[in-house]
Amino acid sequence: MTSTGFTPTGSIASVGDRRRVVFATVIGTTVEWYDFFIYASAAALVFGQLFFQPAGEQAAILLSFATVGVSFLFRPLGAFLAGHFGDKYGRRVVLVFTLILMGAATALIGLLPTFAQIGVAAPMLLIFLRIVQGISAGGEWGGAVLMAVEHAPTKKRGLFGASPQLGVPLGLLLASGVMALMAVIAPGDAFLVWGWRVPFLLSIVLILIGYWVRRTVEESPVFAELAARKEKARMPIVQLFRKHLLLVIIAALVFAGNNAVGYMTTGGYIQNYATNPDGPIGLERGPVLWAVAGSAVTWLLSTFFAGWISDRIGRRTTYITGWVLQLIGVVALFPLVNTGSIWGLFGGVAILTIGLGFTYGPQAALYSELFPASIRFSGVSISYALGAILGGAFAPTIATALVQATGTTVSVTLYLAGMTLVGLVATLLLRDRSGIPLGPDHEAEQEKSPIYGASRA
């Protein structure tokens, strides 16, 4: 879509069309991430006891967090499949399919029998359904991003691209809020018996809403133009890795720096650390979940603001600002959490989410501007999936193991600070391409390398 209001296919993009796209991407990604984060919350709070208890208390929580990470290993598979079919058959069909796949897996987790009921088959089924969630998540993000950014006016790509990014804090807010509510409705043993299942089963309702919303949105105008000209790539993934392998790696490292830190809350680590009755804090489950839900609001606001400001100061400058803010949040996190006060915990995670928003809000626009139109779905999806593996996949497991080995959270702070610096360095390697044309008419311009010191990506 151009700044004149016309799409690459020449049709006029009305304000109503744009609003519908934004609404659909926000709703769809919120539902997807609600499903994904409900699992992480349950892994932190109950799955160790229900599915891995025979392994022993410390090993059980490590195994529970490891199942959170296992799904990330299958995100690239989802990204490869979604990228291939998204570049060949369109963004919308992939978005609808991934939404249904995620919802079905989530609802089935809510029906699973525990280890005490069926033995080792219980954790095996749990892991299988988590893998299905990972495949879905790997395909979801790229499609949602391209629907938002490729419909956007050139000067508002950062703002439009922030809409699918809002799904993460909104999903975390919804997941934490529902879990906190169930902790009140079903306190103590009731939460272990049935209370944790209700948020998973509620996914059925959310999926129906998300499905209806996404079916009302038109296909991306960029893909429509490619299809009309019969210029769709035959083997988009092969072209991506042949021409842009280094770019994929650098883009993945940008996201890894954000994702490792973000999974301290979205991956359930802080929730487990703060509520562990044998740990240094031992806070009640409900207040901790509400504190995390509150931090999702600050994350939401900073993500939206970062997308908006990136249209004015550029993606690169916004990211660099974000890495500095994220580093401040990393250093402040555990000193505040370790006060043992619920307000200290809220302050720690809220400060952290400001930097997280600045290093996540512009990502949709940044990634979309890195790759040519014909392989864009594959490029953004695979970069995102690889970044998730390098960053958040096993961040809660690593943090747990570091504390068990060293007896202090300082080791976790150093780990998170290191990942933040990785993201900063990767960002510095990229040129700012804000405003570059996204349509198929400008493939030659899109092919120019966004990496400093490289003639081609």
Side-chain angles (χ1 to χ4, degrees), residues 13 48 91 109 119-120 143 167 182 232-233 237 254 281 283 306 351:
R91 291 36 168 151
I109 290 172
V120 72
M182 291 311 303
K232 296 176 289 183
I237 293 173
V254 171
I281 300 177
L283 293 171
I351 292 171

Side-chain angles (χ1 to χ4, degrees), residues 21 25 29 82-83 86 90-96 98 137-151 164 214 219-220 376-378 380-381:
V21 168
T25 54
T29 53
R91 291 36 168 151
R92 190 176 71 165
V93 65
V94 173
L95 283 176
V96 171
T98 55
E140 154 72 17
W141 187 81
V145 160
L146 295 189
M147 285 294 284
V149 176
E150 290 181 346
H151 274 93
R214 282 196 166 166
E219 180 57 84
S220 158
R376 188 171 293 139
F377 201 137
S378 297
V380 300
S381 296

Side-chain angles (χ1 to χ4, degrees), residues 230-377:
K230 304 186 186 304
E231 293 177 358
K232 296 176 289 183
R234 291 186 178 181
M235 297 295 290
I237 293 173
V238 174
Q239 292 188 32
L240 175 71
F241 284 111
R242 189 176 74 239
K243 296 181 178 180
H244 305 282
L245 177 60
L246 179 59
L247 178 57
V248 168
I249 294 171
I250 293 174
L253 291 175
V254 171
F255 183 45
N258 165 277
N259 204 229
V261 177
Y263 261 75
M264 290 299 96
T265 54
T266 59
Y269 178 77
I270 291 295
Q271 293 91 315
N272 175 265
Y273 177 79
T275 59
N276 184 356
D278 299 320
I281 300 177
L283 293 171
E284 292 295 321
R285 181 187 295 138
V288 169
L289 288 169
W290 285 120
V292 172
S295 73
V297 176
T298 58
W299 196 348
L300 173 73
L301 295 174
S302 63
T303 299
F304 179 82
F305 179 78
W308 173 79
I309 198 68
S310 75
D311 285 324
R312 286 151 179 78
I313 65 174
R315 322 292 179 221
R316 195 167 178 268
T317 301
T318 304
Y319 258 100
I320 293 170
T321 303
W323 295 125
V324 174
L325 293 172
Q326 184 173 300
L327 186 60
I328 292 171
V330 164
V331 172
L333 176 63
F334 284 105
L336 288 169
V337 171
N338 288 332
T339 62
S341 156
I342 195 66
W343 287 107
L345 185 146
F346 171 70
V349 293
I351 292 171
L352 186 70
T353 59
I354 296 173
L356 286 172
F358 268 76
T359 56
Y360 195 60
Q363 186 178 11
L366 174 78
Y367 269 28
S368 299
E369 291 164 343
L370 291 179
F371 297 98
S374 59
I375 58 169
R376 188 171 293 139
F377 201 137

Side-chain angles (χ1 to χ4, degrees), residues 66-82:
T67 66
V68 175
V70 162
S71 69
F72 285 79
L73 300 180
F74 289 84
R75 277 197 189 186
L77 175 59
F80 273 73
L81 293 172

